[in-house]
Amino acid sequence: MFASYMINGWIVATIIAVVAGAVGVFVVLRGTSFAAHALPIGAFPGAAAADLFGIHEIWGLLIFAMLGVLGITQLGRRQRRDVATALTLVTLLGLGTLFLSLSGHYAQGVFALLFGQLVSVSRGDILPVAGIGLLVLGTLAARFRPLLLSSASPDLAAARGWAPAQLDLLFLGLVGLTTAMALPVVGALLVFSLMVGPAAAARSFARRPAQAVALSIAFSLGTLWAAIALAYVTDWPIGFFVGSIAAALFTLSEVPRRFSRTALG
């Protein structure tokens, strides 16, 4: 499990868990779980495009993730947010199908990006992931209060001089960056589980925003580390364990709340 060929995966997975845990708090607060689900699936064809045009996989993922963000925000001005997200996802998946058919030799890569593949992480992947992670965390720290206020009350944020539309675009951009860096390890189908499950569980225990972020990061780290260990032992896809553990974590976090409601009732 700690063999030399796994070390790169452990490093990248730890960075991903910290970033996903921090971003996930705002995904839950803003009610954008559908976007957090759609962006990874819409971004993964970018790897097929990168293979077709001969560029690094991470750049293809980033380009498609940002196309997804622009599609959701632009279409969202004329349509409901869920409709805009669905239309954007369909468009990106259509482009992905085209790129896959043109490349003709990316089937194994698609499987890895859908379900996660820890051992495929190379030393050259660490620096881009670390750079993206620092960018996301730094932006979250710098814009923490505006993002928090716009999540709770867009009208109050606007009254304070913070444009909700700009903050929405900024936030979706951070989700897109997190998606691109996490896809190769966790997989497109379950990146959103890592962003939503730990953050939703943390919200059940935290009383302050900063505490929610710290708990979400801790839960995200525990989820991904446990998933890596179980994937190594069983040789099953890491994404399966991420989804299962995240769901179990959220279910367990709801138990105290339900007991308290029963007692009050």
Side-chain angles (χ1 to χ4, degrees):
M1 186 164 59
F2 296 102
S4 58
Y5 67 90
M6 293 283 289
I7 296 300
N8 295 329
W10 277 104
I11 295 172
V12 169
T14 299
I15 298 171
I16 289 170
V18 172
V19 176
V23 172
V25 172
F26 292 94
V27 170
V28 172
L29 288 176
R30 299 172 79 89
T32 54
S33 297
F34 184 29
H37 171 60
L39 283 174
I41 298 176
F44 95 89
D51 180 71
L52 181 64
F53 295 110
I55 62 177
H56 195 285
E57 181 181 82
I58 191 69
W59 301 119
L61 293 172
L62 283 171
I63 290 170
F64 265 64
M66 292 305 106
L67 286 175
V69 170
L70 291 175
I72 291 172
T73 53
Q74 294 303 311
L75 290 174
R77 295 179 180 179
R78 299 175 179 84
Q79 300 281 350
R80 285 174 44 186
R81 173 55 62 86
D82 57 342
V83 175
T85 302
L87 290 173
T88 301
L89 175 60
V90 169
T91 302
L92 292 177
L93 286 177
L95 287 173
T97 302
L98 173 64
F99 292 141
L100 287 173
S101 65
L102 292 175
S103 64
H105 56 82
Y106 204 66
Q108 185 59 38
V110 170
F111 179 86
L113 285 172
L114 284 174
F115 299 102
Q117 185 62 43
L118 188 69
V119 297
S120 65
V121 178
S122 67
R123 182 173 296 180
D125 295 324
I126 296 176
L127 187 58
V129 169
I132 294 171
L134 287 174
L135 175 62
V136 172
L137 292 176
T139 305
L140 273 181
R143 306 298 289 169
F144 186 82
R145 291 186 63 188
L147 284 171
L148 185 63
L149 185 58
S150 66
S151 300
S153 175
D155 292 337
L156 185 55
R160 291 284 186 91
W162 297 320
Q166 294 180 7
L167 290 172
D168 197 36
L169 177 61
L170 173 65
F171 170 70
L172 285 176
L174 296 178
V175 174
L177 289 173
T178 305
T179 289
M181 64 183 283
L183 268 177
V185 175
V186 182
L189 295 180
L190 290 164
V191 168
F192 80 100
S193 296
L194 192 62
M195 284 194 283
V196 173
R203 188 181 183 185
S204 298
F205 295 109
R207 295 293 177 266
R208 296 184 299 275
Q211 186 182 29
V213 172
L215 278 175
S216 180
I217 291 173
F219 288 158
S220 181
L221 282 169
T223 297
L224 197 47
W225 286 345
I228 292 172
L230 291 169
Y232 179 82
V233 171
T234 62
D235 201 29
W236 291 2
I238 187 175
F240 165 74
F241 292 109
V242 169
S244 300
I245 296 170
L249 186 62
F250 173 71
T251 302
L252 290 173
S253 73
E254 287 294 296
V255 172
R257 180 182 296 182
R258 296 200 175 187
F259 270 116
S260 98
R261 287 176 182 171
T262 303
L264 290 173

